[in-house]
Amino acid sequence: MSGENSGPLAEDHVALDEIELYGELMIAASAAAEERLSPARIDEVLRVGRDHERKGRGRPRP
């Protein structure tokens, strides 16, 4: 089976999106003045409720 996206080296878009989200959450946590992020701030960072804006892979940029 040959193809650009086949085999063990093919990109896993879901994993890449999760890594990006995790990174954004870590940046927000390190910049926060509080010891912990509030649930509302976590939702804001992860853009919860904005799935309708997604088109293909990746998230919308501000």
Side-chain angles (χ1 to χ4, degrees), residues 2-55:
S2 66
E4 188 175 318
N5 290 329
S6 64
L9 299 179
E11 287 186 346
D12 183 342
H13 296 292
V14 173
L16 293 174
D17 285 345
E18 289 176 358
I19 292 167
E20 182 180 356
L21 289 170
Y22 182 76
E24 290 179 17
L25 192 56
M26 292 299 294
I27 291 168
S30 67
E34 312 84 36
E35 183 176 324
R36 296 176 185 241
L37 294 178
S38 69
R41 178 64 179 134
I42 292 170
D43 287 349
E44 179 185 341
V45 170
L46 299 180
R47 298 180 180 131
V48 172
R50 292 187 177 185
D51 284 343
H52 65 279
E53 294 179 10
R54 295 179 68 129
K55 294 185 183 186

